[in-house]
Amino acid sequence: MIIKKYSQSFNPKTILFGNGELVNHPILIKSLKAAKTIICLDGCVNKLKKLGYDPDLILGDMDSIDLKPDNYNCEILELLDQSTNDLDKGLQWCLENNKNDILLTGLSGKRDDHAMAALLSMASFSQKLKLVMLTNYSTIHCIKKRTKIQVDHGQLISIMAKNPLTKIKTNGLHYKLRNEQLTSAGHGMSNIATSNQIEIEASEWIWVFINHMA
């Protein structure tokens, strides 16, 4: 049995930065300092610069960058395939270039359809890459096998299943699931961590939302 361990204080090797709402949570600031590679998806370069960082690479179709490519002091890779979005292009590039430990950020906030597409892309690539998504409101994991996640006692945890027939087991949550299905969209919402570590196992892919403490 494989047991993956994540933490609210993680140090991803690669950050994939999207063009959604600017995330300024302390977890991201710490991760930016530790990351070996920062990749911007198309036009999010200015948001990254507001945080005091420059990208190592810009990926995308370049339809939303403010300046000409020559004005950016980094490598730029133009990906023109219009059959997929910039996040999928970025994740596929990471997969092909051995970037396997990735923090996704800047992928929510402005458009709900983009945020939903980002969660679905995360589910599609999580079987091949170690992915964690960070927003201003939560840290999101997409998991299947038995997984331990470091949290804060009393933290709000929500679980959503891609497939409603998914069976889920949990430990460390106030409302424990014992190989059960979520009977409604709200069934797995607003659970509460009863320790500093939760353990979750699912028969199919699920999203686990670790809501930031106020």
Side-chain angles (χ1 to χ4, degrees), residues 1-195:
M1 179 179 293
I2 297 175
I3 300 179
K4 295 182 182 178
K5 290 188 178 180
Y6 296 100
S7 172
Q8 290 292 90
S9 300
F10 41 78
N11 297 313
K13 295 180 180 178
T14 302
I15 295 179
L16 208 54
F17 210 104
N19 199 23
E21 182 180 63
L22 176 64
V23 177
N24 54 14
H25 194 275
I27 293 176
L28 176 61
I29 305 306
K30 180 178 179 180
S31 298
L32 283 167
K33 293 178 181 179
K36 293 182 179 179
T37 305
I38 303 175
I39 301 172
C40 279
L41 297 174
D42 218 331
C44 65
V45 182
N46 291 336
K47 292 184 176 69
L48 180 63
K49 286 181 173 292
K50 286 181 180 179
L51 297 175
Y53 292 86
D54 293 307
D56 298 292
L57 174 66
I58 302 175
L59 294 174
D61 55 20
M62 304 303 138
D63 64 347
S64 59
I65 59 174
D66 293 339
L67 304 175
K68 293 181 179 180
D70 292 343
N71 292 98
Y72 295 100
N73 188 28
C74 67
E75 183 182 356
I76 294 179
L77 182 58
E78 191 170 6
L79 303 173
L80 298 177
D81 183 5
Q82 296 300 315
S83 65
T84 186
N85 59 35
D86 284 338
L87 176 56
D88 279 357
K89 294 173 188 174
L91 290 172
Q92 185 61 39
W93 184 90
C94 288
L95 184 61
E96 294 171 355
N97 289 272
N98 297 316
K99 306 290 186 182
N100 301 317
D101 182 7
I102 304 166
L103 174 66
L104 305 173
T105 192
L107 296 166
S108 65
K110 289 188 173 182
R111 285 181 53 175
D112 294 335
D113 52 346
H114 283 178
M116 188 68 221
L119 289 173
L120 292 172
S121 294
M122 187 183 185
S124 295
F125 282 88
S126 284
Q127 52 194 312
K128 301 175 184 177
L129 300 169
K130 179 184 174 183
L131 302 176
V132 179
M133 187 182 296
L134 179 70
T135 76
N136 279 319
Y137 313 102
S138 64
T139 302
I140 306 167
H141 304 274
C142 190
I143 65 171
K144 183 178 177 181
K145 295 181 179 179
R146 186 182 175 197
T147 304
K148 292 182 177 181
I149 304 175
Q150 302 303 312
V151 298
D152 292 320
H153 188 280
Q155 200 161 14
L156 285 179
I157 313 294
S158 292
I159 301 172
M160 299 188 73
K162 186 178 179 184
N163 182 342
L165 300 179
T166 301
K167 293 184 178 181
I168 304 168
K169 300 177 183 178
T170 66
N171 280 307
L173 294 176
H174 180 71
Y175 302 104
K176 189 173 182 179
L177 294 173
R178 299 174 175 85
N179 206 31
E180 300 172 54
Q181 298 172 357
L182 299 178
T183 56
S184 69
H187 185 177
M189 303 291 286
S190 300
N191 212 327
I192 303 170
T194 57
S195 67

